[in-house]
Amino acid sequence: MASDPVTTKPVLEIRDLALAIGGARVVDGVSCAVAPGEVLALVGESGCGKSLTALAAMRLLPRAATLAGGEVLLDGENLVALPEQRMRALRGRRITMIFQEPLAALDPLSSVGTQVAEATGLSGGMAQRVMIATALISRPAVLIADEPTTALDVTIQAQILDLLRRLAADRGTAIMLITHDMGVVADIADRVTVMYAGRIAETGPTVELFAEPRHPYTALLLAALPRLSDAPKAPLAVIRGQVPLPQAFSAACRFADRCPLADERCRAEQPPLREVGKGRLSACWHAERVR
């Protein structure tokens, strides 16, 4: 399995991660890495395996999910092989996470001192700030931010993104950002890993990937972004169909049924994640034809 290229030594490296739920591989051979001071975005529709990948890195998988293979290295230490006592010493200190739905992660009965800020009657933006403050109080080497701007208004979203950007630049924090919002990715990420149905579809530097996608799924995600140049009330571009359920994942290309470039080879063989340019990887038989 090809690994996600980084320009400096990564602080967090996920190698060939495989996760299963009920016998189905919901994450299948995922490799990515993030270096100090870098923002790596994991993107894709709901059900692509982004959050499960992050939870595996934190050793916080739901009970239904099991590790089926792979490694998660933090400063070279394999987290999946550690005893829980050692993992607790790292979790929340060297590696921390901002979870989805911050209001659900806070205890409304706790005091100000316990949760950094007042926990009753918080707005979504204030709750997110509390979660971020809690995650950062130990000055972690790695911060995993799972949909940190979802359901926030654009002003608060901009403030949250600015905070994450300054953390990477000023503290050298390695940030793994999980999102489905390609606009957020363009604003903050240095590199992008696009996931689809538990596998990596494409990865590369943000500027190059946005300018010239090398996987049909990436191209369609970008085409779905609204633009100021669009005519008033023009219909938004959509990706037909939906992400298949894990039990229906194909042994060939999992995007074939939704892909405008798919042919018989795509429906018969799994495309490998291969180099398609400097720092660029794509899992598509027709990567050079993508526009």
Side-chain angles (χ1 to χ4, degrees):
M1 173 64 65
S3 59
D4 191 12
V6 293
T7 56
T8 59
K9 184 177 180 181
V11 61
L12 178 68
E13 187 174 6
I14 297 173
R15 294 180 179 174
D16 207 20
L17 181 69
L19 304 172
I21 295 179
R25 287 284 185 99
V26 292
V27 173
D28 191 6
V30 167
S31 296
C32 59
V34 59
E38 181 182 44
V39 180
L40 170 70
L42 292 185
V43 304
E45 296 165 276
S46 297
C48 285
K50 307 181 304 296
S51 293
L52 277 176
T53 298
L55 290 172
M58 293 291 295
R59 282 263 300 265
L60 293 174
L61 286 171
R63 291 185 179 181
T66 58
L67 180 71
E71 299 177 316
V72 178
L73 304 177
L74 178 64
D75 291 324
E77 191 171 15
N78 186 10
L79 301 185
V80 303
L82 295 181
E84 181 58 26
Q85 184 176 4
R86 171 60 179 160
M87 188 64 212
R88 287 179 181 175
L90 297 173
R91 189 192 298 122
R93 293 175 175 82
R94 290 289 292 163
I95 180 170
T96 61
M97 185 169 180
I98 303 169
F99 296 91
Q100 290 188 47
E101 300 181 14
L103 285 171
L106 295 172
D107 181 357
L109 302 178
S110 295
S111 66
V112 171
T114 302
Q115 297 192 80
V116 182
E118 196 174 72
T120 55
L122 293 179
S123 66
M126 185 58 71
Q128 194 64 283
R129 287 186 178 93
V130 173
M131 288 296 296
I132 291 173
T134 303
L136 296 179
I137 198 168
S138 64
R139 301 181 71 90
V142 179
L143 172 65
I144 299 173
D146 192 355
E147 301 281 6
T149 60
T150 297
L152 301 180
D153 65 55
V154 292
T155 302
I156 301 301
Q157 175 176 295
Q159 293 174 359
I160 297 299
L161 293 178
D162 183 62
L163 173 58
L164 295 178
R165 192 182 296 109
R166 286 188 284 112
L167 281 172
D170 300 341
R171 288 192 181 183
T173 306
I175 298 176
M176 180 181 287
L177 173 68
I178 299 167
T179 184
H180 63 273
D181 189 330
M182 297 299 277
V184 168
V185 173
D187 189 27
I188 191 174
D190 299 297
R191 289 184 304 109
V192 186
T193 291
V194 181
M195 292 185 64
Y196 184 78
R199 291 179 181 162
I200 291 179
E202 179 175 3
T203 187
T206 304
V207 173
E208 286 88 339
L209 184 141
F210 271 63
E212 194 174 16
R214 287 302 190 192
H215 194 284
Y217 182 56
T218 308
L220 290 169
L221 286 176
L222 294 173
L225 284 173
R227 289 169 173 79
L228 292 176
S229 59
D230 291 342
K233 298 184 179 180
L236 294 175
V238 297
I239 306 175
R240 63 184 179 87
Q242 59 188 8
V243 180
L245 295 174
Q247 53 268 36
F249 282 172
S250 169
C253 177
R254 293 178 179 177
F255 190 60
D257 289 343
R258 306 174 71 187
C259 181
L261 299 181
D263 57 19
E264 290 307 311
R265 186 182 190 187
C266 302
R267 297 182 178 91
E269 300 178 54
Q270 178 183 334
L273 190 62
R274 60 186 176 91
E275 187 173 349
V276 292
K278 185 177 180 180
R280 304 289 304 278
L281 302 172
S282 174
C284 178
W285 294 118
H286 306 296
E288 289 73 19
R289 293 174 53 200
V290 178
R291 293 291 181 269

